[in-house]
Amino acid sequence: LGFDIDVISGEEEARLIYLAASGYFNLTDINAIFVDIGGGSTELSYSVDADLAESITTPLGCSRITQKFVAKHKAKPEEVSKLKKHIDKELGKIIEDYDIDKLVFTGGTVNSLAQVYIRRSNMSDSIVKYVDATFLNHLVNELAGKSYEDRGKIPGLEAERADISLAAALIVQSLLNHYQLPGFYSFAGGLRSGITIDLLNKMGIELIFQQGDQVDVRYSKLMETGRKYNYEEEHALHVTKLAKKLFDALKK
């Protein structure tokens, strides 16, 4: 087709995912990990006080380890045990002992797991989802006890990801246990968004959330929404300025 193809490294993939996620999370004064679980590998990006400190890639992909440890369409208890031990061992080799405040996952399979939680909790869907660790532990047991076909019938879980859903859930569970966190965030479309933002940056376009160290992510999203619908930005900013002046002057 005449396209030039750029093959990126796992570390570059992790950087792009971090770039995308930084547009949805306020990262100042916290430590976070952004994890992309793919079929063949998993990438981890460590953010320390809004700076990308380290990116690590590991061949701990959910398709790869499912094929290695699960022989048939329903995992045996001993296979689940071996799979869990392998994940803990491999993650133990690479994870850094930062004091982590927030754990964020990207990738279609984890987003599908989060969708199950959203459905069962009767919550509205969104790009960013929060999932409770207790729910995940129950879901791991549920997935381990079902065949691929029966997993595909779980509302919210994509049928085409049913076979690898247990491996992905176990990777999430292992990281939650290691950092002793009460839950995790799922972020949809990480790599695609990261590539788009990176391309815009290379064209000299800086997005609102990238403008300065103290830009509030929620505020930047409001600004982006306003620009999407062609609001009168100069007028709105002037009204904001006057409102703040009135508030400060009348505070007493």
Side-chain angles (χ1 to χ4, degrees):
L1 297 174
F3 291 115
D4 292 327
I5 305 298
D6 291 329
V7 180
I8 64 173
S9 66
E11 288 76 12
E12 173 65 1
E13 183 178 357
R15 184 188 72 83
L16 291 169
I17 289 166
Y18 166 79
L19 185 62
S22 62
Y24 285 89
F25 296 91
N26 283 321
L27 300 176
T28 305
D29 299 326
I30 70 164
N31 295 342
I33 309 180
F34 297 96
V35 185
D36 181 65
I37 301 178
S41 65
T42 291
E43 281 71 43
L44 297 88
S45 299
Y46 288 89
S47 168
V48 178
D49 193 16
D51 286 326
L52 182 59
E54 188 174 7
S55 293
I56 304 169
T57 184
T58 172
L60 202 61
C62 47
S63 294
R64 185 193 299 267
I65 59 178
T66 297
Q67 292 171 10
K68 183 176 180 180
F69 288 95
V70 182
K72 295 184 179 180
H73 283 201
K74 183 177 180 180
K76 298 177 181 177
E78 58 268 25
E79 290 176 332
V80 176
S81 179
K82 288 180 180 179
L83 183 58
K84 182 175 174 56
K85 287 179 181 177
H86 175 74
I87 290 169
D88 290 341
K89 180 182 176 182
E90 292 303 308
L91 285 176
K93 293 177 182 177
I94 62 165
I95 53 180
E96 299 290 346
D97 285 325
Y98 294 103
D99 291 325
I100 297 299
D101 306 295
K102 192 167 289 187
L103 186 57
V104 181
F105 289 86
T106 64
T109 307
V110 177
N111 196 56
S112 186
L113 296 174
Q115 196 65 43
V116 176
Y117 180 70
I118 293 296
R119 289 280 192 92
R120 291 184 181 178
S121 304
N122 294 317
M123 298 165 66
S124 58
D125 195 11
S126 62
I127 292 175
V128 176
K129 306 174 183 67
Y130 180 78
V131 180
D132 182 78
T134 302
F135 171 82
L136 180 75
N137 292 335
H138 290 308
L139 185 59
V140 164
N141 293 333
E142 183 179 347
L143 293 171
K146 291 181 180 290
S147 66
Y148 295 171
E149 183 179 4
D150 288 338
R151 289 182 201 169
K153 296 175 183 177
I154 297 174
L157 190 70
E158 295 179 32
E160 60 268 28
R161 300 183 187 275
D163 56 337
I164 58 176
S165 58
L166 175 61
L170 286 171
I171 293 173
V172 177
Q173 186 183 56
S174 181
L175 285 167
L176 280 173
N177 290 341
H178 179 83
Y179 289 109
Q180 297 182 325
L181 292 171
F184 69 94
Y185 293 88
S186 171
F187 171 61
L191 185 57
R192 286 194 304 274
S193 298
I195 290 172
T196 304
I197 295 168
D198 191 55
L199 180 61
L200 290 170
N201 290 166
K202 287 174 180 176
M203 295 167 63
I205 301 170
E206 192 177 51
L207 300 183
I208 297 169
F209 74 87
Q210 297 175 304
Q211 297 170 5
D213 296 332
Q214 301 299 322
V215 175
D216 184 270
V217 169
R218 187 174 295 165
Y219 175 75
S220 73
K221 288 299 170 189
L222 288 171
M223 293 288 286
E224 286 178 15
T225 303
R227 289 174 182 177
K228 178 180 178 181
Y229 295 105
N230 298 313
Y231 82 127
E232 296 180 43
E233 185 167 328
E234 184 179 358
H235 172 75
L237 291 175
H238 188 60
V239 169
T240 301
K241 183 179 178 181
L242 292 175
K244 286 180 177 178
K245 279 189 172 183
L246 283 168
F247 178 81
D248 290 336
L250 298 171
K251 197 171 183 179
K252 292 181 180 180

